[in-house]
Amino acid sequence: MRGRIVRLLAVTVLVVTACSSSADTTDRHSETPPEEIEHVELPQVAAGPREDGPSALDDMRDQRLPKPLLDPGKILSGGPPPDGIPPIDEPRFSLARTVGWLADTEPLLSLTVGGETRGYPLQIMTWHEIVNDTVGGVPVAVTYCPLCNSGVAFERRAAPRVLSFGTSGRLYADNLVMYDRQTESLWPQLTGQAALGKLTGTTLQAIPMGTVAWRDFRAAHPEAWVLTRDTGHKRPYGRNPYTGYDDPSGDVLFELPSTDARLPVKERVVGVARGRDTVAVVRSAIARTGVLEVAVEGKDLIVWHRPGQASALDDERIVRGRDVGTVSVFDPVVKGRRLHFVAAGEGFRDRETGSQWNILGQATTGQLKGQRLAPHQHLDTFWFAWVAFHPETRMIR
């Protein structure tokens, strides 16, 4: 018991350090070199103004607010104040083909909206957690919760307004709780639904987004924009403040509202939901064959795994993190034709035409060259996080 407490205290110190405001955590020993190339700010859709009314950020139990969807007593302080983990509101980007400061195996979030693709390295997202951005003309929130290892993207529209998001400093089931600056409602990242505040019950539209290795992203999207370390904050980008956190048998940081003993709390799973049906695929089950077919509420999906991506939460230096591989989830239908896949070489091959596909769902050679599979929304996260929001989930292992 004492060992567990010591480990939790050690991680708590790291988290508070990671989560503190820029004013009191300026790292004078940062190893982050200056950007090697010119970076640009891209056009943004402006968010709406602050609205009058009671704030769940100020008082989760304010009686003037709608009935909350979550018990305020189970929404815990993570240590920092609101925006103590500073979101990025004025992101700057460089073209992928010009970026020289990312290692081949480093993880980044890959998001495509309206035909435009952007990358958000986890070495930056770990320290900021939210980027308010506009991609393909759509206002989006790109989010990453290190404690759940979950990257999720949402449209920032909640009719008739455009929202911008900050970090509330609170957690539910160890998951980032965001707040919108317009109404100061509270939103758990893993649901994208306002659980407390004026907008209670409002659900943001999730956008499929995957965590991929830099090598794969750069090869597929050399002209894509990549978030730079010119964030307006000085952080030791490339370092992991949660060293050793990516351990299936390890502890979580804060008390969970419930637990499920079917898996170790931090076993990595790929969670897929469709309608009322939810399934958690244990990552090791996918890694064994590289391809797994899954049916969710009657719809066939394919789940792929390819080695070559470093964990952002293992070693002190992200680039030295253990290989956890990249996973993707797709609809296996192209132009009305159902395809079946096998792992082949560094990618995948469909049995119907023999075309070769990369982990991002692009056909690179063969009869279907140039075709793309439609990505399906999924969560690449820890078991405790998925099951906290989907307690009736099925499991594949």
Side-chain angles (χ1 to χ4, degrees), residues 15-34:
V15 172
V16 171
T17 300
C19 296
S20 300
S21 66
S22 60
D24 56 18
T25 61
T26 299
D27 187 346
R28 295 178 174 81
H29 304 288
S30 172
E31 297 182 8
T32 301

Side-chain angles (χ1 to χ4, degrees), residues 114-180:
E116 181 180 0
T117 297
R118 293 191 189 176
Y120 304 82
L122 291 195
Q123 66 159 262
I124 301 172
M125 297 300 298
T126 296
W127 296 91
H128 296 282
E129 301 192 2
I130 297 173
V131 178
N132 290 296
D133 199 2
T134 300
V135 183
V138 177
V140 299
V142 179
T143 70
Y144 176 68
C145 175
L147 297 185
C148 292
N149 186 52
S150 53
V152 191
F154 305 100
E155 287 194 28
R156 290 191 283 118
R157 294 191 182 103
R161 55 177 79 74
V162 174
L163 304 174
S164 65
F165 288 90
T167 58
S168 70
R170 300 186 178 112
L171 302 165
Y172 177 80
D174 271 26
N175 182 231
L176 160 68
V177 174
M178 311 179 294
Y179 81 95
D180 69 85

Side-chain angles (χ1 to χ4, degrees), residues 39-352:
H39 44 251
V40 299
E41 292 185 25
L42 300 173
Q44 299 290 322
V45 174
R50 172 72 173 94
E51 300 175 16
D52 294 332
S55 163
L57 185 66
D58 290 340
D59 182 0
M60 292 187 288
R61 293 179 171 83
D62 193 312
Q63 295 300 306
R64 294 172 293 172
L65 294 171
K67 183 180 178 180
L69 301 182
L70 295 175
D71 179 357
K74 294 183 178 180
I75 298 178
L76 308 178
S77 171
D83 289 337
I85 304 173
I88 298 175
D89 295 315
E90 297 178 354
R92 296 182 178 183
F93 297 88
S94 298
L95 289 173
R97 60 178 168 77
T98 68
V99 172
W101 47 271
L102 285 167
D104 282 351
T105 60
E106 279 199 61
L108 80 163
L109 302 173
S110 174
L111 176 66
T112 300
V113 182
E116 181 180 0
T117 297
R118 293 191 189 176
Y120 304 82
L122 291 195
Q123 66 159 262
I124 301 172
M125 297 300 298
T126 296
W127 296 91
H128 296 282
E129 301 192 2
I130 297 173
V131 178
N132 290 296
D133 199 2
T134 300
V135 183
V138 177
V140 299
V142 179
T143 70
Y144 176 68
C145 175
L147 297 185
C148 292
N149 186 52
S150 53
V152 191
F154 305 100
E155 287 194 28
R156 290 191 283 118
R157 294 191 182 103
R161 55 177 79 74
V162 174
L163 304 174
S164 65
F165 288 90
T167 58
S168 70
R170 300 186 178 112
L171 302 165
Y172 177 80
D174 271 26
N175 182 231
L176 160 68
V177 174
M178 311 179 294
Y179 81 95
D180 69 85
R181 292 166 174 149
Q182 285 62 46
T183 73
E184 297 190 347
S185 300
L186 299 180
W187 311 67
Q189 179 227 21
L190 284 174
T191 66
Q193 183 181 58
L196 300 95
K198 180 178 179 178
L199 296 181
T200 293
T202 301
T203 302
L204 301 172
Q205 178 64 49
I207 307 170
M209 180 173 69
T211 306
V212 304
W214 167 238
R215 173 182 55 200
D216 295 325
F217 180 89
R218 180 186 57 206
H221 302 291
E223 300 302 317
W225 293 107
V226 176
L227 182 69
T228 74
R229 296 172 293 188
D230 182 13
T231 63
H233 302 273
K234 192 167 185 178
R235 295 292 188 273
Y237 300 124
R239 290 193 175 273
N240 164 30
Y242 308 94
T243 303
Y245 187 73
D246 189 2
D247 177 0
S249 62
D251 296 310
V252 295
L253 186 56
F254 297 92
E255 182 180 358
L256 299 175
S258 62
T259 58
D260 187 312
R262 283 182 286 172
L263 288 172
V265 290
K266 287 196 289 185
E267 185 80 39
R268 283 174 172 254
V269 301
V270 178
V272 181
R274 190 168 184 268
R276 295 184 177 182
D277 191 12
T278 62
V279 61
V281 185
V282 180
R283 258 171 159 265
S284 58
I286 314 166
R288 282 196 294 269
T289 60
V291 177
L292 193 66
E293 296 188 358
V294 178
V296 186
E297 203 177 62
K299 183 176 181 59
D300 292 334
L301 300 171
I302 50 169
V303 187
W304 287 352
H305 177 278
R306 180 180 186 268
Q309 182 191 138
S311 166
L313 301 170
D314 178 35
D315 195 89
E316 178 187 5
R317 297 302 299 261
I318 292 177
V319 70
R320 295 200 302 251
R322 66 185 178 91
D323 187 347
V324 294
T326 296
V327 293
S328 302
V329 181
F330 298 104
D331 182 339
V333 176
V334 174
K335 293 185 175 180
R337 187 180 191 182
R338 169 69 156 90
L339 302 178
H340 299 81
F341 295 86
V342 294
E346 293 190 350
F348 309 89
R349 185 180 67 251
D350 71 76
R351 291 192 176 109
E352 285 70 22

